[in-house]
């Protein structure tokens, strides 16, 4: 039996009861003969409470000190978990990110992992201990300052440690049973996915599925570390994310992995842009210089009569204000007519490697939306994904209609037969 | 202007407002031209809350992990303080005990400082920063594990850093104005002491005065670091503790520094001990083997008729049960009659180097108690201290009577004339 890395999120260790429940599960893995390394997040709302405290003393929390503050959260949960495990008669030692050898760059609040040197962790598990590691944190290579990894940091810590320790699997424990074919809060008939490829998982993650973050999946794909996403409450098998299915997993991936939706974005349309070289470049340089990440970009064919075109793109709502400000400054240079801003939109994405070889997926997708009376405002595609923008009000109905149309509902075992010509 | 170490306790940084107030005070010292190193405790009740959480997950918190847990407290307060200082336009960096070079032994929960290597702190202040250091914590020399220093740990961190950095002074900020001639909650007319020698302060600390702990004063004396105990609320001058008075401090120490009292102890009497060699040794070996610290020890002259004597000693109430258990086991060997346990006692101590050369101090002390109708149960003395044990109910009246008798009341400026023949 090899080494297993288990990661528990804040909701799994929200209180003393949760910590004790996690301790039991950890000990079970140890009893099954595994070496066990556990990565743990801060308890429940701890991080939010610390952020709130920081806001009370200073409006602009400084990078280095903010990281020092936030890392107190995992220190509490990991020490408590180690105690709870010892209380069950097993040896456990907790380690900070720094002690665990998580070396990062110096970009405070969203540092990137440069290297992992898990000597102390390997030593600890070789000595028979269960090693508990603080997620989300590391130490900067040059200055030896405490850093944090930003959103999804604990998952990334777990995958990075799993890679460095050559683990069999990285188990990500969360408060849901795994990755679903759609958000179960929206689609009651959503099905748990038993196995999904890294590629499809990456597309789902960047399309609004919140179970795993893109960054963590990307890291796992690069080092080929299988991820098992599962519930810390139910103990059921969850979803395996890996290159190839293993053991009793389905040999072939479904044509469509799932339907994701995202209501966190807004749409900006630059109206009446002169259709000549360099205009789009000027617009998106302005956006980039304001440090704004954009998602979909769509440009329509220009109207022959006017020589003007419209350029639309989507971006996080939180960046909307900044984007409009940046674009207003380019108005004379670009010579566009006006800006439109719309934050009442939703993005619905269909993801599946199977769509590459199965014609008609796009048609079925659009027909489903049309039958549900949902209007499509923007369309964007990749090799294994189709995304559309609709009204925010339509999102639930749209997701349900598409989910049903592709035979993803849990009652139905029939495969959908795609007709028509290509996608 | 040299380097100043300032230490702020948990009550000074109990909330965001407190942290902002402390930040202002720190910046003031910096503006006055000092290099400033700040040692900070955990916010208000944080440590108690963490201890409570630990108790919920495990009845016996393990040493190493318990330290890992508790050190989260200072991490929060120091990061917030650094942010608050930056918000006032000054540069600040926070450092854990480990980063600050506080090297300890491996005795978790009550580690002792072995060495302080403050290279990063010196570098930080030389670069113009205010350095904030987590009190109460260090890193073990051999295993590189996080340790905590036990009770009074933050004060000790401050004094140890002051010694290692060759500071001008170690300022201990607290919620009272300094060291008083008696506990101001008991004696309304208690006076703030402007200057007190290390020796007298050590005796006061071991006699129940809670402002400074014995351990921290002992460290300061060894390295000759002047301590300035003062309020973080009032900004008034406090009490200087040092070898010699400095500047405008009184050139000569008062004959009596103060009256301390302690109601945390209990009294054990071993009744009817055969008055022959080795009996006392057997009794106190049993106590020592049970790892119990005792305070006063008194043996009366044995009654000629019986050849039996009584041995009494005081000890922390919390150790009472353990002591009785240990003594019961020696009963046949020692052959004593019975054990008496009494936790309704108080210890009242008079401290002052002047009593060495001023006859009559003891007489005045006992007369004051007698006039107040307070019965003396035990007496014990050192060169610069007299302690008596009385009923716990009498303690407040006794302290007030003694305080008045030695002219320590704040309205009185007259010195007391001691008559009588020596003490």
């Amino acid at each position: 039996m090899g080494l297993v890395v288990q990661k528990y999120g804040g909701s799994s260790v929200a209180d003393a009861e949760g910590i004790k429940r996690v301790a039991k599960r950890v000990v079970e893995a140890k009893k099954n003969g595994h070496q066990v390394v556990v990565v743990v997040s801060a308890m429940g709302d701890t991080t939010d409470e610390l952020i709130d405290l920081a806001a009370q003393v200073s409006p602009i929390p400084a990078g280095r000190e903010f990281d020092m503050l936030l890392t107190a959260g995992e220190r509490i949960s990991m020490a408590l978990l180690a105690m709870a495990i010892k209380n069950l008669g097993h040896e456990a030692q907790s380690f900070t990110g720094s002690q665990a050898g998580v070396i990062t760059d110096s970009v405070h609040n969203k540092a990137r992992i440069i290297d992992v040197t898990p000597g102390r962790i390997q030593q600890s598990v070789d000595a028979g201990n269960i090693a508990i590691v603080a997620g989300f944190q590391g130490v900067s290579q040059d200055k030896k300052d405490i850093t944090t990894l930003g959103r999804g940091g604990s998952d990334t810590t777990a995958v990075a440690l799993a890679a460095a320790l050559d683990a069999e699997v990285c188990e990500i424990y969360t408060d849901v049973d795994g990755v679903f074919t759609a958000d179960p809060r929206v689609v009651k008939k959503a099905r748990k996915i038993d196995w999904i490829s890294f590629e499809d998982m990456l597309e789902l993650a960047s399309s609004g599925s919140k179970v795993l973050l893109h960054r963590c999946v990307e890291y796992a794909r690069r080092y080929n570390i299988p991820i098992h996403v599962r519930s810390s409450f139910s103990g059921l098998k969850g979803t395996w994310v890996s290159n190839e299915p293993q053991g009793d997993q389905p040999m072939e991936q479904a044509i469509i992995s799932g339907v994701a939706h995202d209501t966190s974005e807004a749409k900006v349309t630059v109206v009446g842009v002169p259709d000549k070289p360099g205009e789009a470049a000027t617009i998106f340089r302005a956006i980039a210089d304001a440090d704004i990440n954009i998602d979909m970009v769509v440009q329509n064919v220009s109207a022959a009569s006017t020589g003007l075109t419209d350029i639309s793109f989507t971006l996080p709502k939180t960046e909307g204000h900044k984007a409009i400000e940046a674009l207003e400054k380019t108005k004379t240079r670009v010579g566009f007519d006006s800006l439109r801003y719309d934050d009442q939109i939703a993005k619905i994405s269909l993801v599946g490697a199977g769509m590459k070889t199965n014609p008609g997926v796009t048609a079925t997708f659009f027909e489903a939306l049309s039958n549900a009376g949902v209007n499509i405002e923007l369309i964007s595609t990749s090799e294994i994904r189709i995304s559309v923008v609709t009204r925010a009000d339509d999102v639930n109905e749209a997701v349900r209609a598409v989910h049903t149309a592709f035979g993803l509902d849990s009652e139905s075992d029939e495969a959908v037969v795609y007709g028509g010509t290509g996608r």
Side-chain angles (χ1 to χ4, degrees), chain A residues 108-120:
Chain A
H108 283 291
N109 309 348
K110 48 179 180 178
R112 307 215 48 106
I113 295 176
I114 295 174
D115 196 10
V116 180
T117 54
R120 284 189 75 174

Side-chain angles (χ1 to χ4, degrees), chain A residues 23-41:
Chain A
K24 276 188 202 147
R25 191 173 289 282
V26 169
V27 164
E28 218 168 273
K30 173 80 178 164
K31 279 186 182 160
N32 287 341
H34 290 287
Q35 288 192 326
V36 186
V37 174
V38 180
V39 174
V40 70
S41 301

Side-chain angles (χ1 to χ4, degrees), chain A residues 302-314:
Chain A
S302 64
S305 55
T306 60
L308 297 177
T309 185
D310 300 337
I311 297 179
S312 294
F313 61 92
T314 63

